[in-house]
Amino acid sequence: MVEFKKAKLKDISLMQEMIKPEIESGVILPRSNDEIATSIRSYILAYEKDELIGYGALKIYSQKLAEIRSLVIKREFRAKGVGSALVKELLKEAKEYEIEAVFALTYRDKFFINLGFEVVDKDELPSQKIWADCIKCKNFPVCNEIAVIYKF
Ligand SMILES: CC(C)(COP(=O)(O)OP(=O)(O)OC[C@H]1O[C@@H](n2cnc3c(N)ncnc32)[C@H](O)[C@@H]1OP(=O)(O)O)[C@@H](O)C(=O)NCCC(=O)NCCS
Protein backbone atom coordinates (compact mmCIF):
# COMPACT_ATOMS: atom_id res chain seq x y z
CA MET A 1 0.00 0.00 0.00
CA VAL A 2 1.31 3.44 -0.92
CA GLU A 3 1.54 6.06 1.80
CA PHE A 4 2.08 9.79 1.33
CA LYS A 5 4.15 11.83 3.79
CA LYS A 6 5.54 15.35 3.99
CA ALA A 7 9.26 15.44 3.22
CA LYS A 8 11.89 15.90 5.90
CA LEU A 9 15.31 17.48 5.44
CA LYS A 10 16.97 14.11 5.98
CA ASP A 11 15.15 12.82 2.85
CA ILE A 12 17.00 15.21 0.51
CA SER A 13 19.90 12.91 -0.40
CA LEU A 14 17.56 10.03 -1.35
CA MET A 15 15.34 12.48 -3.29
CA GLN A 16 18.39 13.68 -5.26
CA GLU A 17 19.46 10.10 -5.96
CA MET A 18 16.02 9.15 -7.27
CA ILE A 19 15.70 12.06 -9.67
CA LYS A 20 19.17 11.71 -11.26
CA PRO A 21 18.07 9.72 -14.36
CA GLU A 22 15.25 12.20 -15.09
CA ILE A 23 17.66 15.14 -14.81
CA GLU A 24 20.09 13.40 -17.14
CA SER A 25 17.33 12.86 -19.69
CA GLY A 26 16.23 16.53 -19.35
CA VAL A 27 12.70 15.73 -18.12
CA ILE A 28 13.15 17.37 -14.69
CA LEU A 29 15.16 20.47 -13.79
CA PRO A 30 18.01 19.97 -11.30
CA ARG A 31 17.68 21.58 -7.87
CA SER A 32 20.46 22.02 -5.34
CA ASN A 33 20.20 20.57 -1.83
CA ASP A 34 19.80 24.13 -0.51
CA GLU A 35 17.03 24.88 -2.97
CA ILE A 36 15.15 21.74 -1.92
CA ALA A 37 15.76 22.54 1.76
CA THR A 38 14.28 26.04 1.49
CA SER A 39 11.15 24.63 -0.15
CA ILE A 40 11.03 21.34 1.80
CA ARG A 41 7.46 22.05 2.97
CA SER A 42 6.24 21.89 -0.63
CA TYR A 43 7.21 18.24 -1.15
CA ILE A 44 5.02 15.16 -0.71
CA LEU A 45 6.79 11.79 -0.74
CA ALA A 46 5.28 8.43 -1.72
CA TYR A 47 6.37 5.35 0.22
CA GLU A 48 5.71 1.69 -0.34
CA LYS A 49 6.44 -0.03 2.96
CA ASP A 50 9.57 1.89 3.99
CA GLU A 51 10.86 2.54 0.50
CA LEU A 52 10.74 6.01 -1.04
CA ILE A 53 9.19 5.40 -4.48
CA GLY A 54 8.39 8.91 -5.69
CA TYR A 55 7.65 12.49 -4.88
CA GLY A 56 6.35 15.80 -6.15
CA ALA A 57 6.17 19.41 -5.03
CA LEU A 58 3.47 22.06 -4.95
CA LYS A 59 4.98 25.51 -5.41
CA ILE A 60 2.62 28.35 -4.55
CA TYR A 61 2.84 31.57 -6.59
CA SER A 62 -0.33 33.35 -5.46
CA GLN A 63 -3.88 32.68 -4.33
CA LYS A 64 -4.73 32.17 -7.97
CA LEU A 65 -1.93 29.82 -8.96
CA ALA A 66 0.39 27.01 -7.85
CA GLU A 67 2.59 24.59 -9.77
CA ILE A 68 3.20 20.87 -9.57
CA ARG A 69 6.89 20.29 -10.17
CA SER A 70 9.66 17.75 -9.68
CA LEU A 71 7.09 14.97 -10.06
CA VAL A 72 8.81 11.61 -10.28
CA ILE A 73 8.00 7.97 -9.62
CA LYS A 74 10.79 5.38 -9.48
CA ARG A 75 10.86 3.55 -12.81
CA GLU A 76 9.96 0.09 -11.47
CA PHE A 77 6.87 1.50 -9.69
CA ARG A 78 5.35 3.30 -12.70
CA ALA A 79 2.03 2.57 -14.44
CA LYS A 80 0.46 1.38 -11.19
CA GLY A 81 -1.47 4.53 -10.38
CA VAL A 82 1.06 5.97 -7.90
CA GLY A 83 1.81 9.09 -9.97
CA SER A 84 -1.92 9.82 -10.35
CA ALA A 85 -2.51 9.33 -6.63
CA LEU A 86 0.38 11.68 -5.87
CA VAL A 87 -0.98 14.38 -8.18
CA LYS A 88 -4.33 14.03 -6.40
CA GLU A 89 -2.57 14.53 -3.03
CA LEU A 90 -0.90 17.68 -4.35
CA LEU A 91 -4.24 18.95 -5.69
CA LYS A 92 -5.85 18.20 -2.31
CA GLU A 93 -3.24 20.37 -0.64
CA ALA A 94 -3.83 23.17 -3.18
CA LYS A 95 -7.55 22.96 -2.44
CA GLU A 96 -6.91 23.21 1.31
CA TYR A 97 -5.02 26.46 0.64
CA GLU A 98 -7.97 27.60 -1.54
CA ILE A 99 -5.72 28.09 -4.55
CA GLU A 100 -7.73 28.61 -7.72
CA ALA A 101 -5.63 26.68 -10.24
CA VAL A 102 -2.58 24.43 -10.48
CA PHE A 103 -0.36 24.18 -13.53
CA ALA A 104 2.46 21.90 -14.66
CA LEU A 105 4.97 22.04 -17.50
CA THR A 106 5.31 18.54 -18.85
CA TYR A 107 6.01 16.14 -21.68
CA ARG A 108 3.30 13.87 -20.19
CA ASP A 109 0.27 15.96 -21.18
CA LYS A 110 -1.99 12.90 -21.57
CA PHE A 111 -1.20 11.77 -18.00
CA PHE A 112 -2.32 15.18 -16.67
CA ILE A 113 -5.34 15.44 -18.97
CA ASN A 114 -6.56 12.10 -17.58
CA LEU A 115 -6.48 13.76 -14.17
CA GLY A 116 -8.69 16.68 -15.23
CA PHE A 117 -6.01 19.15 -16.41
CA GLU A 118 -6.40 21.06 -19.66
CA VAL A 119 -3.75 22.33 -22.05
CA VAL A 120 -3.07 26.10 -21.93
CA ASP A 121 -0.79 28.55 -23.67
CA LYS A 122 2.56 28.96 -21.91
CA ASP A 123 2.05 32.74 -22.08
CA GLU A 124 -0.53 32.29 -19.32
CA LEU A 125 2.15 31.16 -16.85
CA PRO A 126 3.65 33.60 -14.34
CA SER A 127 6.80 35.32 -15.54
CA GLN A 128 8.63 34.39 -12.27
CA LYS A 129 8.45 30.78 -13.43
CA ILE A 130 10.08 31.54 -16.74
CA TRP A 131 12.84 33.69 -15.26
CA ALA A 132 13.59 31.70 -12.14
CA ASP A 133 13.36 28.20 -13.58
CA CYS A 134 13.14 27.94 -17.35
CA ILE A 135 16.25 30.03 -17.86
CA LYS A 136 18.24 27.30 -16.06
CA CYS A 137 17.02 24.65 -18.48
CA LYS A 138 19.24 23.42 -21.27
CA ASN A 139 16.26 23.64 -23.65
CA PHE A 140 15.55 27.32 -22.96
CA PRO A 141 14.16 29.19 -24.92
CA VAL A 142 13.06 26.49 -27.36
CA CYS A 143 10.92 24.46 -25.01
CA ASN A 144 8.72 21.60 -26.12
CA GLU A 145 7.05 21.16 -22.77
CA ILE A 146 3.30 21.51 -22.68
CA ALA A 147 1.57 23.69 -20.10
CA VAL A 148 -1.41 22.04 -18.43
CA ILE A 149 -3.69 23.54 -15.82
CA TYR A 150 -6.23 22.23 -13.32
CA LYS A 151 -8.96 24.70 -12.34
CA PHE A 152 -10.89 24.15 -9.12
C1 LIG B 1 4.85 10.96 -15.11
C2 LIG B 1 5.00 9.98 -13.95
C3 LIG B 1 5.17 10.74 -12.64
C4 LIG B 1 3.74 9.13 -13.88
O1 LIG B 1 3.85 8.24 -12.74
P1 LIG B 1 3.08 6.82 -12.72
O2 LIG B 1 3.13 6.30 -11.35
O3 LIG B 1 3.60 5.97 -13.81
O4 LIG B 1 1.61 7.33 -13.05
P2 LIG B 1 0.29 6.43 -13.15
O5 LIG B 1 0.61 5.00 -12.96
O6 LIG B 1 -0.71 7.04 -12.28
O7 LIG B 1 -0.13 6.72 -14.66
C5 LIG B 1 0.78 6.45 -15.72
C6 LIG B 1 0.05 5.70 -16.82
O8 LIG B 1 -0.20 4.40 -16.37
C7 LIG B 1 -1.59 4.11 -16.48
N1 LIG B 1 -1.96 3.27 -15.34
C8 LIG B 1 -2.30 3.68 -14.11
N2 LIG B 1 -2.57 2.62 -13.32
C9 LIG B 1 -2.34 1.53 -14.09
C10 LIG B 1 -2.41 0.15 -13.84
N3 LIG B 1 -2.78 -0.31 -12.65
N4 LIG B 1 -2.08 -0.68 -14.84
C11 LIG B 1 -1.69 -0.21 -16.03
N5 LIG B 1 -1.61 1.11 -16.34
C12 LIG B 1 -1.93 1.94 -15.37
C13 LIG B 1 -2.28 5.43 -16.46
O9 LIG B 1 -3.50 5.40 -17.14
C14 LIG B 1 -1.28 6.33 -17.12
O10 LIG B 1 -1.42 6.32 -18.52
P3 LIG B 1 -1.08 7.67 -19.38
O11 LIG B 1 0.33 8.07 -19.03
O12 LIG B 1 -1.24 7.19 -20.77
O13 LIG B 1 -2.07 8.67 -18.92
C15 LIG B 1 6.20 9.01 -14.18
O14 LIG B 1 6.08 8.43 -15.46
C16 LIG B 1 7.57 9.68 -14.07
O15 LIG B 1 8.16 9.75 -13.00
N6 LIG B 1 8.07 10.17 -15.24
C17 LIG B 1 9.36 10.84 -15.29
C18 LIG B 1 9.28 12.23 -14.75
C19 LIG B 1 8.17 13.05 -15.42
O16 LIG B 1 7.97 13.03 -16.64
N7 LIG B 1 7.47 13.81 -14.59
C20 LIG B 1 6.41 14.70 -15.01
C21 LIG B 1 6.96 16.08 -15.10
S1 LIG B 1 5.74 17.24 -14.68
Side-chain angles (χ1 to χ4, degrees):
M1 206 190 80
V2 177
E3 254 191 293
F4 297 104
K5 296 182 193 170
K6 294 299 286 181
K8 297 210 167 34
L9 292 160
K10 68 172 163 55
D11 298 318
I12 293 175
S13 53
L14 261 183
M15 290 163 71
Q16 292 284 37
E17 198 55 42
M18 185 187 296
I19 213 154
K20 256 188 203 161
E22 315 311 330
I23 289 171
E24 277 156 21
S25 62
V27 166
I28 300 274
L29 273 176
R31 302 205 183 275
S32 68
N33 288 352
D34 286 352
E35 205 181 343
I36 297 179
T38 55
S39 57
I40 195 74
R41 284 175 290 193
S42 68
Y43 288 86
I44 295 181
L45 309 189
Y47 284 88
E48 172 133 315
K49 299 193 180 104
D50 285 331
E51 184 180 355
L52 177 63
I53 61 164
Y55 62 89
L58 182 78
K59 180 179 165 88
I60 299 172
Y61 289 92
S62 68
Q63 194 192 331
K64 283 189 190 311
L65 198 63
E67 175 189 9
I68 289 179
R69 61 186 201 173
S70 302
L71 180 72
V72 64
I73 301 297
K74 237 181 183 174
R75 292 185 176 191
E76 59 271 35
F77 289 92
R78 288 184 193 166
K80 294 175 178 188
V82 183
S84 303
L86 180 52
V87 169
K88 285 179 191 160
E89 284 295 310
L90 293 161
L91 290 176
K92 195 170 99 190
E93 186 166 281
K95 192 165 187 220
E96 281 163 11
Y97 281 104
E98 300 182 358
I99 292 164
E100 291 170 24
V102 176
F103 78 92
L105 273 170
T106 187
Y107 295 105
R108 297 294 307 273
D109 49 320
K110 192 166 149 271
F111 166 76
F112 282 96
I113 289 164
N114 285 343
L115 288 162
F117 287 72
E118 55 190 272
V119 174
V120 279
D121 200 306
K122 269 184 259 177
D123 293 344
E124 289 182 37
L125 302 185
S127 55
Q128 306 99 291
K129 167 71 189 168
I130 308 301
W131 294 111
D133 265 349
C134 298
I135 204 159
K136 290 188 230 155
C137 176
K138 59 182 181 193
N139 296 323
F140 186 79
V142 185
C143 167
N144 293 323
E145 282 192 319
I146 294 162
V148 290
I149 197 159
Y150 184 97
K151 293 178 181 155
F152 287 100

